[in-house]
Amino acid sequence: MSDVFTSAWFYWAIGIAIGLPVGLITLTEWQHALRRRKSFLLKPVTLLRNYLLPLGALLLLMIEASRVPAGSTSVRMVGTLVAFVVLVLLLSGINAAVFQSAPDGSWRKRIPGIFLDVARFLLIAVGLAMIFAYIWGANVKGLFTALGITSIVVGLTLQNSVGQIISGLLMLFEQPFKIGDWLDTPAAKGRVVEVNWRAVHLETGTGLQITPNSVLAGASFTNLSRPPGKHTIMVTSVFAVDDAPDEVCAMLVRVASELPQCHPDLPPSAVPLGAKEYQTKIPLKSPADDGKAKATFLRWVWYSARRAGLHLDEAEDQFSTPERVTAAIRSIVAPTLRLDREEQQRLIPHATMERFGDGELVQRSGEVPAGIKFIVSGEVRLTAIAEDGSEVVVGSHERGSFLGQSTLTRQPVIGWSYAVGEVTMVYLAREQVETIVHDNPLLLQEFGRTIEQRRDYMLRAVATSEGDDAS
């Protein structure tokens, strides 16, 4: 019995029997804590708990407790597994501590994943060579010589593919783009969704464009996402010779600035190019908005140019005819303003028909209306800006309603009005409305009540929205 307590294997066995469960419990608690924090160190700790600790205990048990010779095959196999797990653990720990946890924008975060794969492959190759050399006594020098000759033969056979890989590595080392950037290449225009050893994958409007790295490295391309916030599109328009250039440019800039895709901190601009052409420069939030921004701009310019009396594509607007104006005043304006037939006839020469495109701004918050617009067809959505800066929909107006009633009191509008679908309106200038109201004081009182009711309704709607968000 005394021989057992004096034997070295006994204390190794007791230490392993106690240390292994304690180590497993400790590492399990650490693993749970890292999982709750969603830490990048979770994977290395899992490798340590599930593989390295049990294999290390087994190796110690075989060598120290069971006295198995170190040169036996079983010990070498377990030792190989332990060394390989240590190698994987070191690589995983370095990757988690240095690269995965790196802050955005740092050099560690900007290193392409392909470089990490190459470095990881080389380290694994060197590590395996050391394992075979020290544990199994293999002649790794001859192995490396054979691999070198084989690599030369394979390189000559696959020189085109290897050239693409080298081109990709050099291009990624320069880092002219990253995942998520928008590129305009000779082959296609799209967003970078993947970069691998052979090619760059671009997501375009017609599918996935695969461009080999060697082709992209040898060609000229544009990174539309750099510098950030500086992407613009150019739209060319044609107007008649008689249209005043300053008036045309002001209209184009106004329409461009109202686009939802327009960059809020960068103003658009428009310049005449000569030969009846004008070019509008529109800064956008993202290159992804190119197509939608251009389509919306062209559609809104069509409506805005006709309202301003300009001749887009040298075309005449034949919409505001006396017949349409007469019908709109008889069916929409006369019931609201209580006009008799004689007053309607006097009003016809001073009224005009206007159209707004879907989503176009009809009335701006803070402006004093120059007249009243009566809705003939379509719908107008009313919105307001809450204290947190969000836009709140507070109501809508349909056929028979009107906007700009505060033109008589010279009060600024407190909400925004947008067209829902195509909207047709009949417009009366302030002077004409004042003449009508002057002959009918009761109408002025009704306008005053309407102004107060709409103001109170909009303020209540904003307050209700803010209360719902807070709850």
Side-chain angles (χ1 to χ4, degrees), residues 401-434:
S401 186
F402 56 90
L403 301 173
Q405 65 276 1
S406 61
T407 183
L408 298 174
T409 59
R410 306 308 201 269
Q411 290 178 292
V413 179
I414 64 171
W416 304 75
S417 302
Y418 297 92
V420 179
E422 185 178 76
V423 177
T424 303
M425 296 181 166
V426 57
Y427 174 75
L428 296 178
R430 180 186 295 122
E431 293 76 11
Q432 305 304 320
V433 180
E434 289 176 343

Side-chain angles (χ1 to χ4, degrees), residues 92-154:
S92 179
I94 293 174
N95 184 49
V98 178
F99 299 104
Q100 289 184 339
S101 61
D104 293 336
S106 63
W107 66 270
R108 293 177 293 168
K109 201 70 172 181
R110 293 196 303 267
I111 293 180
I114 193 172
F115 286 169
L116 299 181
D117 293 339
V118 172
R120 189 180 295 112
F121 174 78
L122 294 177
L123 290 176
I124 290 176
V126 173
L128 290 177
M130 295 177 64
I131 291 173
F132 282 106
Y134 286 99
I135 296 180
W136 296 92
N139 183 12
V140 295
K141 293 182 180 180
L143 177 63
F144 280 119
T145 302
L147 289 176
I149 297 175
T150 304
S151 63
I152 294 175
V153 175
V154 173

